[in-house]
């Protein structure tokens, strides 16, 4: 294993990396220290230490570090619907450094610029100004307070403006991402488009913006920006711009498998919420035949199945009135193929434990075709 590749839940032997992680509090939630040894948790991506790129990967194949990186990249691009040309894939193989972050940021900014060419979003914002002529609503209190002569009128009015919350968010996102990418041209062009927009700070974990028919075309860019900002961890110190860019493999596996199911089964619904009295349920995947919940963990047999997971699937099946359910895991060493019966008689729910082998060496489209074939066989 190269010193620039780490794997989830495997001890890090590089002293420089270990000390760096220990000294950076912002990284502590993504790593685990036991008996002086440090291991990555289920977060994979890039750790940039003062210009040195270190990849943290899921252990999918024993073939090579590059093979694991390719599969992780394929899953990421597919899960987040990132379309790449063949030359981009060729570039990825020749230049691994920061490729994931670069390609996602460039995809975001290209999409945003496409929308800007159709017109920058404008919305009505309420303003108060001291004007020479009446515009909108006359403000009595402000006029008494500020205007001692009759040549000014304090007014409140609505104005169609680009300086709205959505554009302020995009400006914040563009400027936040700018220091971390090597190709800055398109980001700078986008920032210039928003030169009349006020700068403002946002928390990507709590921001909520309203979308309607007038600005819905910007939603995809907004969602991608949120995804990037939530996973980008700046690690600045003494002018050195280090960072981490990490994805929770629980979420990535769920999103990847969900999108696979959507492509192979038109009846698929993702995260469909069901309200049953005070009980709110939201399974990962529902088809007309089955409820599927993804679990990103190492499981070999029914003996390792948690009781809580059995109850979860029983509750799903009973309330959604689906007799068949499935817990789907990534393959670890051996395939998991177990069938359990939960309950009995009219209340019985069938629980299938299955694993999906993500190991495949080939190009992106070949990988997707093979995984779709394997997922399709799980339902046979």
């Amino acid at each position: 294993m190269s010193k620039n590749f780490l794997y989830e839940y495997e001890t890090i032997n590089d002293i420089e990396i270990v000390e760096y992680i220990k000294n950076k509090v912002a990284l502590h939630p993504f790593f685990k220290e036991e008996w002086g040894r440090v291991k990555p948790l289920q977060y994979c991506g890039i750790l940039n230490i003062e210009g040195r790129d270190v990849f943290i990967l899921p252990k999918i194949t024993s073939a090579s570090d590059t093979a694991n990186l390719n599969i992780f990249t394929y899953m990421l691009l597919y899960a987040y619907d990132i379309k790449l040309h063949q030359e981009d894939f060729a570039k990825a193989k020749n230049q691994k450094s920061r490729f994931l972050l670069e390609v996602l940021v460039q995809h975001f900014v290209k999409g945003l610029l496409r929308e800007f060419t159709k017109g920058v979003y404008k919305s009505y914002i309420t303003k108060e100004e001291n004007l020479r002529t009446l515009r909108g609503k006359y403000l009595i209190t402000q006029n008494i307070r500020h205007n001692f002569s009759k040549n000014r009128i304090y007014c409140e009015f609505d104005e169609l403006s680009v300086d709205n919350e959505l554009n302020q968010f995009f400006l914040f996102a563009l400027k936040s991402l700018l220091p971390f990418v090597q190709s800055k041209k398109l980001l700078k062009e986008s920032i210039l488009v928003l030169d009349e927009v006020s700068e403002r700070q946002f928390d990507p974990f709590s921001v909520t913006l309203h979308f309607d028919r007038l600005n819905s075309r910007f939603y995809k860019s907004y969602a991608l920006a949120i995804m990037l900002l939530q996973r980008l961890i700046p690690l600045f110190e003494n002018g050195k711009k280090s960072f981490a860019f990490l994805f929770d493999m629980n979420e990535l596996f769920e999103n990847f498998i969900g999108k696979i199911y959507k492509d192979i089964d038109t009846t698929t619904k993702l995260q469909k919420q069901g309200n049953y009295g005070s009980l709110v349920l939201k399974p990962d995947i529902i088809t007309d035949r089955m409820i599927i919940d993804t679990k990103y963990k190492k499981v070999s047999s029914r003996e390792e199945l948690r009781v809580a997971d059995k109850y979860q699937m029983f509750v799903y099946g009973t309330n959604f009135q689906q007799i068949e359910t499935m817990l789907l895991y990534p393959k670890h060493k051996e395939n998991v193929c177990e069938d359990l019966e939960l309950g009995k008689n009219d209340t019985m729910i069938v629980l299938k434990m299955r694993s999906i082998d993500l190991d495949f060496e080939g190009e992106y489209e070949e990988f997707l075709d093979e995984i779709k074939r394997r997922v399709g066989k799980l339902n046979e």
Side-chain angles (χ1 to χ4, degrees), residues 130-316:
N130 212 4
L131 305 175
R132 293 187 180 277
T133 58
L134 178 63
R135 184 179 178 186
K137 180 181 177 182
Y138 180 84
L139 299 178
I140 298 175
T141 304
Q142 284 86 340
N143 273 285
I144 295 173
R145 185 180 302 154
H146 298 287
N147 294 331
F148 298 101
S149 62
K150 297 182 179 180
N151 63 340
R152 292 280 178 177
I153 304 173
Y154 219 100
C155 311
E156 179 183 277
F157 57 92
D158 291 332
E159 182 177 75
L160 195 61
S161 172
V162 297
D163 194 15
N164 51 64
E165 191 175 30
L166 179 60
N167 289 330
Q168 290 167 357
F169 170 77
F170 281 136
L171 183 61
F172 165 77
L174 291 163
K175 290 196 171 185
S176 298
L177 296 170
L178 187 65
F180 302 100
V181 295
Q182 296 166 339
S183 180
K184 303 178 185 292
K185 181 174 179 290
L186 294 181
L187 279 88
K188 290 181 177 180
E189 286 181 14
S190 300
I191 290 171
L192 282 176
V193 172
L194 301 175
D195 64 337
E196 296 181 14
V197 175
S198 304
E199 289 194 33
R200 178 180 165 189
Q201 295 297 307
F202 289 85
D203 179 355
F205 292 94
S206 62
V207 61
T208 53
L209 300 183
H210 174 68
F211 287 86
D212 54 31
R213 62 181 182 84
L214 298 176
N215 63 0
S216 60
R217 61 191 176 93
F218 288 98
Y219 181 77
K220 190 171 182 180
S221 296
Y222 164 78
L224 189 52
I226 289 290
M227 183 271 285
L228 290 167
L229 294 171
Q230 287 182 348
R231 288 156 180 81
L232 184 62
I233 308 159
L235 302 168
F236 293 171
E237 186 178 29
N238 299 325
K240 297 176 181 177
K241 297 179 181 178
S242 300
F243 66 90
F245 186 57
L246 302 173
F247 291 81
D248 186 335
M249 287 302 299
N250 292 306
E251 294 178 10
L252 180 56
F253 182 63
E254 176 189 326
N255 292 341
F256 176 75
I257 295 298
K259 195 163 184 299
I260 290 284
Y261 265 97
K262 286 279 282 187
D263 281 356
I264 67 174
D265 187 339
T266 56
T267 70
T268 299
K269 295 179 176 62
L270 304 180
Q271 295 285 315
K272 179 184 177 182
Q273 181 170 305
N275 299 302
Y276 302 93
S278 59
L279 187 64
V280 179
L281 303 175
K282 193 185 289 187
D284 293 343
I285 303 164
I286 300 180
T287 73
D288 62 353
R289 295 176 52 197
M290 188 181 302
I291 293 178
I292 302 109
D293 213 59
T294 58
K295 300 292 183 184
Y296 189 77
K297 59 179 69 171
K298 295 177 181 179
V299 172
S300 301
S301 67
R302 68 174 66 194
E303 284 71 30
E304 298 174 38
L305 178 61
R306 295 171 62 236
V307 173
D309 290 339
K310 292 182 187 179
Y311 281 123
Q312 178 188 29
M313 301 312 289
F314 182 76
V315 170
Y316 282 166

Side-chain angles (χ1 to χ4, degrees), residues 276-365:
Y276 302 93
S278 59
L279 187 64
V280 179
L281 303 175
K282 193 185 289 187
D284 293 343
I285 303 164
I286 300 180
T287 73
D288 62 353
R289 295 176 52 197
M290 188 181 302
I291 293 178
I292 302 109
D293 213 59
T294 58
K295 300 292 183 184
Y296 189 77
K297 59 179 69 171
K298 295 177 181 179
V299 172
S300 301
S301 67
R302 68 174 66 194
E303 284 71 30
E304 298 174 38
L305 178 61
R306 295 171 62 236
V307 173
D309 290 339
K310 292 182 187 179
Y311 281 123
Q312 178 188 29
M313 301 312 289
F314 182 76
V315 170
Y316 282 166
T318 301
N319 286 279
F320 282 93
Q321 297 183 340
Q322 286 274 19
I323 296 174
E324 289 197 357
T325 65
M326 181 193 295
L327 286 172
L328 184 57
Y329 307 88
K331 178 184 174 183
H332 176 40
K333 293 181 179 179
E334 302 294 334
N335 278 318
V336 177
C337 186
E338 302 261 15
D339 291 342
L340 295 80
E341 294 180 353
L342 309 178
K344 59 183 180 179
N345 300 329
D346 293 341
T347 63
M348 188 188 73
I349 300 297
V350 175
L351 172 58
K352 297 181 177 182
M353 295 178 64
R354 297 291 187 268
S355 61
I356 179 70
D357 185 3
L358 299 172
D359 186 0
F360 181 80
E361 195 160 354
E363 300 300 325
Y364 178 62
E365 294 297 339

